Amino acid sequence: MKNPDLRIGVLVPPDKHYKPVLYSDAEASAKFKAMNNDIYSKQKKLDFEDTKDTPKSVKFIGAAGAIAALGLAVKSFIKK
């Protein structure tokens, strides 16, 4: 048994080279701040606390309970 010859493919060189883009420090910092601001503003919109509000019925029941507790406290102080 004889080993077969290795078959090697043809390598095609690229047509053109990648040209890197150079930024100044000020321009890179400005772009980073803009991107960072955009990300955090979108994240803030997605936070649960910012998107949901307490229903009016819960506020009304809480206020009624506070008034009732205050009334009972005042009544107990008057009796003494």
Side-chain angles (χ1 to χ4, degrees):
M1 289 186 123
K2 184 177 178 184
N3 291 335
D5 293 336
L6 296 176
R7 295 183 182 170
I8 299 175
V10 177
L11 297 177
V12 180
D15 293 337
K16 57 184 176 180
H17 294 287
Y18 171 73
K19 294 180 182 177
V21 179
L22 300 177
Y23 295 101
S24 68
D25 185 48
E27 187 180 357
S29 296
K31 285 190 176 192
F32 177 76
K33 285 181 183 177
M35 178 185 63
N36 213 12
N37 187 20
D38 185 43
I39 290 170
Y40 283 124
S41 64
K42 286 182 182 179
Q43 183 65 31
K44 187 175 180 184
K45 289 179 184 178
L46 297 177
D47 286 344
F48 177 76
E49 293 85 6
D50 294 336
T51 58
K52 302 297 178 188
D53 192 23
T54 305
K56 290 182 181 180
S57 60
V58 173
K59 290 180 182 178
F60 179 75
I61 292 170
I67 291 171
L70 184 63
L72 290 173
V74 169
K75 187 176 179 181
S76 68
F77 284 131
I78 292 176
K79 286 186 179 181
K80 290 183 180 182

